[in-house]
Amino acid sequence: MDPESSEAVILLVEDNPGDVRLIEEAFSDGNIANELHTITNGQAALDFIYRRGEYADAPRPDVILLDLKLPRVDGEDVLHEIKHHPELEDTPVVVLTGMNEDLIESYNLDHDADEDAVLKKPIDPLEFLDVVRSFEGFELAVLRAE
């Protein structure tokens, strides 16, 4: 997180506008100050993390929210690139998925899962906020209610 800013830089890679809206509302309702960058396909996500083309000046995210089912480049491929990028390998990643719980558990057991958390869609806003707040250093982005 930028020490001069109280806002967290969040990269949301999600192609479903309804899920984007739910996540935006969860941040707003949870009083999390953020600079949210929404990307709707895997290729654009790779361009963002490698700072190519229109994303040449993209900031480094504090947290990445990643859907696994993406157009153009699959979310699993994007996750692999994130976790092998020297500047992003330690960045928390929350995988967003529509898989049922048995498939999620199977996925985590059968792969060297590099994500830091997996949330099932539809996203429960309170569970989502608890997961995001659990990342070390991210608590600085939570605004204190007066």
Side-chain angles (χ1 to χ4, degrees), residues 7 13 50-51 69 73 85 94 101 121 140:
E7 291 192 340
V13 186
Y50 286 109
R51 295 178 167 164
K69 302 287 185 186
V73 175
H85 188 290
V94 178
E101 290 178 30
K121 293 180 186 180
L140 297 174

Side-chain angles (χ1 to χ4, degrees), residues 66-68 73-81 99 107 111:
L66 177 66
D67 184 15
L68 286 183
V73 175
D74 188 75
E76 287 186 52
D77 293 333
V78 173
L79 178 62
H80 177 81
E81 291 294 323
M99 288 189 263
Y107 173 81
H111 292 75

Side-chain angles (χ1 to χ4, degrees), residues 64 79 83 89-95 113-118 131 134-135:
I64 300 170
L79 178 62
K83 290 302 181 176
E89 62 189 358
D90 295 325
T91 301
V93 177
V94 178
V95 170
D114 290 322
E115 73 280 355
D116 297 289
V118 177
V131 168
S134 72
F135 297 125

Side-chain angles (χ1 to χ4, degrees), residues 4 9 13 25 30 67 79 115 119 122 133 137:
E4 297 178 19
V9 176
V13 186
E25 288 176 8
D67 184 15
L79 178 62
E115 73 280 355
L119 289 179
R133 286 181 174 141

Side-chain angles (χ1 to χ4, degrees), residues 10-88:
I10 300 167
L11 174 59
L12 170 60
V13 186
E14 172 61 67
D15 63 326
N16 182 320
D19 289 335
V20 170
R21 183 183 48 78
L22 285 174
I23 290 167
E24 290 171 343
E25 288 176 8
F27 282 125
S28 177
D29 292 348
N31 292 323
I32 294 180
N34 66 84
E35 178 185 327
L36 183 66
H37 298 267
T38 303
I39 306 292
T40 59
N41 69 70
Q43 182 59 57
L46 293 176
D47 291 344
F48 189 99
I49 67 172
Y50 286 109
R51 295 178 167 164
R52 298 186 294 225
E54 69 180 283
Y55 303 107
D57 295 324
R60 287 290 173 228
D62 297 304
V63 176
I64 300 170
L65 309 174
L66 177 66
D67 184 15
L68 286 183
K69 302 287 185 186
L70 294 169
R72 301 193 65 199
V73 175
D74 188 75
E76 287 186 52
D77 293 333
V78 173
L79 178 62
H80 177 81
E81 291 294 323
I82 291 167
K83 290 302 181 176
H84 290 87
H85 188 290
E87 293 179 38
L88 295 175

